[in-house]
Amino acid sequence: MILFDYARRNIRLHWFRSFLAVIGIVIGVVAISSMGVLGNSLVLSISDSLTTVGDTIVVYPQSGAGPMGGGGGGTTSFQITQRQVDQITRAVGTNLVIPVHTGADRVIMGKENQAVSLYGMDPADIPEILELEDGIFLRSTTGAMAGKRLAEEFDLNVGSTVVIGEDGERVRIVGILKERGIGFDINPDYALVVSDRWFESTYGEEGYNMVVVKVEDLEEIDAVKTAIEDALNRRTDVVTVLDTRAILQTILDAFNNISTFTTAIGGISLIVAGVSILNVMMMSVTERTREIGIIRSIGAKRREVMRIFLYEALVLGLIGAGIGGVLSFGGAFLAVSVMLQSTTYLFVPSSLVYILYGMLFGIGTSLLSGLYPAWRAANLNPIEALRHD
Amino acid sequence: MEKGVNPSGKSGGPLIRLADVTKVYPLPAGDVTAIDHLSLEVEHGDFVAVMGVSGSGKSTLLNLIGCLDVPTSGDLFLNGVNIRNLADDPLTELRRDTIGFVFQQFNLIPLLTAYENVEFPLILSQGRDGGPGPGEIANRCRAVLSSVGLDESLATHTPSELSGGQQQRVAIARALVNDPDILLCDEPTGNLDTRTGTTIMELLAEMNRAGKTIIMVTHDQRVAGYARRRIELVDGRLA
Ligand SMILES: Nc1ncnc2c1ncn2[C@@H]1O[C@H](COP(=O)(O)OP(=O)(O)O)[C@@H](O)[C@H]1O
Ligand SMILES: [Mg+2]
């Protein structure tokens, strides 16, 4: 393909300015495809979680203490009272209701003194939502269970003693919980779980910070949610009722904001790249005016001249998209492992197709930018072009 | 009005006919009349030397005959076809298939090798009906390069690696490769020393003997001696 080769040689002749133009394409392709892959991996991993924890409804007091914000150790003025918990229990019928205190306090573990999240729950409820790794479940008011990650980091074992709070109450670890991953209700991996009684007496708290409802039949989730809302939010909204789906939606919304932003950056760098390719190509057309005259004189039609220059834009686009595509694997890998802590969903076709999209965008931008210079070249007057030097 | 190029190239009339052709270049400083009501006929197989001082319109005449430009007024017939009625694409095809250009500056494409420069016009006509296939392209390039006497080992060199005489041979090969009816040469020896110029002229004379119609611009009386016929331009008119 001599016309293609010809374009390629011209790029190689002016490799430095071509290289600069290509960088923009690379950045644009990487930004767009990494975001696409990340977004898709996120959606996939969330839909996977959906099936495992899709049976959970979480009730928060109407203070805005949403799923992402932890409770502030016993000082939250918005709480769910025992009376409201009873209302919820009546509203949800046979489904299990688990009221939870959340807080945080300084905890001395060995030589370390560290702020640690605390969950206060009825010992009878704990086996319902958490699993045991070692030791036993909490059976009395005193004692605590440690999350797996916390236990690993501070070397806690069954039988270890920790000191919780200012007054320094010594508490024995009776069990270690299985690692649970990011949950939509509670996240005990890096926390201590204590009994509700102990929590209430230590922090002088009556109300709960959240209520977890386990729904037996997934089909009922909307009905249960409505029942809770009808029971508690009769006059004013006193509680926020979230099912995991709604929580996922907030996460997705947050992601969409990030992704729009990053894709915009990708788009801007493609525009900048487009302008610089336009510039490089205009230079090329000007420098090669005489050459264009020669090509026309030996019988190249306008559209053939146009094709020669579009090939040049195409080669720039292909180089940019190629490099960008390769780097996109890196970019996507980084983004996915940082944001999702797992690359399970990176190497699936529905994710990888975004790298293809990114590359196509890059090539498209190049071709689009080459269009005007190519048109200019094609429409030069052959005689004027031949007289040019 | 005649339609279509006569495929035999042997219509009753002359190969080239200019009827009262005028070419005016509109310039901001005032119009320049490069060709002024000029009429001329050139028969098949002729070899015409166009002479005249610089600025007398010789190149303009060649460009008009070569369909690089169209007359401001008057008619130009190639093989009986009035080029005034042709759009840009058919004009370009005419250039590609019936005309070969040889320039004073050689005008080879710097990034392409000698072989590729010769191949280029064939590639351009590859798509057309009866156009050459890949095998034929290679054969014709090799044949035409040897007919202009270019050493085969030079075919892979780029123009900058060739001497002036070698470049002009490549340019003539490129002009001949599509087997055109007409060779238009604008001072083909102008950038060559006398000895090299002579070999190039002998090559052109040989092409003429082989049937090519040649129109050649030159200042040089000796070079003009190779032609069968001379015309002289003065201010765009025949002297
Ligand atoms: N493309 C052009 N634009 C404007 N003026 C031109 C152009 N080509 C030629 N001319 C003018 O037309 C006249 C004839 O030019 P040219 O045909 O090149 O003469 P020659 O080849 O005999 O030296 C000159 O005055 C020249 O300046
Ligand atoms: Mg001239």
Side-chain angles (χ1 to χ4, degrees), chain A residues 143-195:
Chain A
M145 302 183 73
K148 181 83 187 291
R149 312 260 312 253
L150 187 77
E152 275 172 358
E153 186 162 338
F154 295 99
D155 218 11
L156 302 177
N157 296 302
V158 176
S160 305
T161 307
V162 297
V163 181
I164 302 177
E166 302 283 304
D167 305 339
E169 185 167 345
R170 296 174 67 83
V171 177
R172 208 176 93 92
I173 303 293
V174 300
I176 308 292
L177 295 163
K178 263 217 175 90
E179 185 158 351
R180 194 168 185 254
I182 296 171
F184 296 101
D185 40 15
I186 62 175
N187 289 288
D189 287 350
Y190 214 80
L192 288 174
V193 177
V194 295
S195 73

Side-chain angles (χ1 to χ4, degrees), chain A residues 210-251:
Chain A
M210 65 192 283
V211 175
V212 176
V213 180
K214 300 292 275 185
V215 182
E216 289 151 15
D217 184 357
L218 270 176
E219 305 277 296
E220 274 185 20
I221 239 175
D222 282 332
V224 172
K225 201 177 152 191
T226 315
I228 298 171
E229 274 171 341
D230 286 350
L232 281 93
N233 292 344
R234 231 168 305 158
R235 259 157 287 149
T236 53
D237 284 0
V238 290
V239 294
T240 308
V241 186
L242 297 177
D243 63 320
T244 44
R245 266 166 251 268
I247 296 170
L248 294 176
Q249 195 53 52
T250 42
I251 295 173

Side-chain angles (χ1 to χ4, degrees), chain B residues 189-212:
Chain B
T189 59
N191 273 6
L192 301 174
D193 62 68
T194 317
R195 241 187 58 215
T196 316
T198 303
T199 62
I200 291 296
M201 283 319 300
E202 271 159 10
L203 181 60
L204 288 177
E206 191 187 318
M207 296 306 159
N208 176 244
R209 281 193 295 277
K212 298 291 173 210

Side-chain angles (χ1 to χ4, degrees), chain A residues 2 21 32 51 81 90 97-98 103 115 123 133 144 181 269 288 323 335 346-347 357 359 371 374:
Chain A
I2 191 180
I32 287 178
T51 55
T81 62
R90 275 197 300 276
V97 175
I98 305 169
E133 167 102 8
S269 64
R288 291 158 76 194
I323 298 174
L346 176 57
F347 298 104
Y357 288 160
M359 290 170 72
L371 220 50

Side-chain angles (χ1 to χ4, degrees), chain A residues 298-318:
Chain A
I298 63 174
K301 292 175 187 163
R302 283 183 180 149
R303 64 168 173 278
E304 286 163 335
V305 172
M306 191 142 173
R307 218 167 73 202
I308 290 169
F309 281 84
L310 281 180
Y311 276 148
E312 200 167 317
L314 181 67
V315 172
L316 290 176
L318 285 174

Side-chain angles (χ1 to χ4, degrees), chain B residues 54-55 58-60 104 186-187 217:
Chain B
S54 182
K58 306 183 294 293
S59 296
T60 303
Q104 179 179 359
D186 198 343
E187 307 195 32
V217 167

